[in-house]
Amino acid sequence: VQEGKARAVGVSNFGPELLEKAKEALGSVPLASTQPRYSLLNRRIERDVLPWLRENGVGCIVYSPIERGLLAGTVGPERKFPESDGRSYDPMFAKENRTSVLNALDGIRGMTEEKGCTFAQLCAAWCFHQPGVTAAIVGARSPGQARENAAAVRIRLSREESEFLAGHFSGVIQGRKR
């Protein structure tokens, strides 16, 4: 940064203790952002990371807001993942969890219809609306998915809708710390 070779410094997957250490180690160079995993199914950062970021004015660029496709509604319980795919051993992708997620998604179908969006778009938009979240990295496997994901920024959620979604997905995943 001091030599002009970088304009900002960010970190990834740091909890509050490491964020504090990074801030101290950087001295006069501001910590610009962190990149934690965050979605309706994985909200651990709400307890400590997001409050720390808001308090310290650090940006938050979340990743995996649609949980590697799980919140898109296209990962059915019968799908088999190759061993080379991390989803094959992730408890979040256990057959019973995929069934629970599909049931939960079915419960928000009316909201997607009302807003004219897909499950993936609604779940990504929920992330965009959370206090302290600056941006989100939403993966795509095709140009069409990239366009669909980008359109999620146009979806507006009221505080009540956002709270409804958070409550609706609370406890959907079993066998994984939240």
Side-chain angles (χ1 to χ4, degrees):
V1 172
Q2 292 167 345
E3 293 176 13
K5 295 177 183 175
R7 290 186 278 169
V9 175
V11 296
S12 183
N13 295 316
F14 277 30
E17 292 150 10
L18 283 176
L19 287 165
E20 194 61 45
K21 286 181 182 181
K23 183 179 169 188
E24 290 171 17
L26 288 168
S28 63
V29 176
L31 177 60
S33 66
T34 188
Q35 190 178 356
R37 184 173 178 175
Y38 187 54
S39 74
L40 280 162
L41 300 175
N42 188 338
R43 297 175 38 207
R44 289 180 290 219
I45 67 168
E46 291 176 350
R47 290 190 296 259
D48 51 8
V49 174
L50 282 174
W52 190 96
L53 298 173
R54 289 190 301 263
E55 184 178 313
N56 289 277
V58 175
C60 181
I61 306 166
V62 300
Y63 69 89
S64 204
I66 58 172
E67 285 299 338
R68 297 174 288 161
L70 191 57
L71 288 168
T74 57
V75 183
E78 301 309 320
R79 183 164 175 190
K80 303 279 188 231
F81 297 102
E83 284 187 34
S84 60
D85 188 324
R87 295 175 292 184
S88 68
Y89 53 84
D90 184 339
M92 185 176 287
F93 283 84
K95 186 176 182 175
E96 58 275 7
N97 283 334
R98 287 182 271 157
T99 299
S100 294
V101 169
L102 288 173
N103 290 336
L105 289 169
D106 196 46
I108 63 167
R109 188 174 305 279
M111 190 181 290
T112 62
E113 290 169 357
E114 175 188 313
K115 297 196 176 288
C117 66
T118 65
F119 292 131
Q121 288 172 319
L122 186 61
C123 293
W126 177 85
C127 284
F128 305 151
H129 284 81
Q130 299 313 299
V133 173
T134 311
I137 299 169
V138 188
R141 292 184 184 238
S142 70
Q145 283 182 349
R147 284 188 292 278
E148 178 184 324
N149 294 341
V153 299
R154 292 190 283 248
I155 298 168
R156 299 289 168 243
L157 295 173
S158 68
R159 186 172 50 97
E160 293 78 18
E161 289 170 325
S162 185
E163 289 173 357
F164 167 78
L165 288 169
H168 184 73
F169 283 90
S170 181
V172 168
I173 295 295
Q174 303 302 312
R176 179 185 175 104
K177 287 186 175 182
R178 294 194 41 168

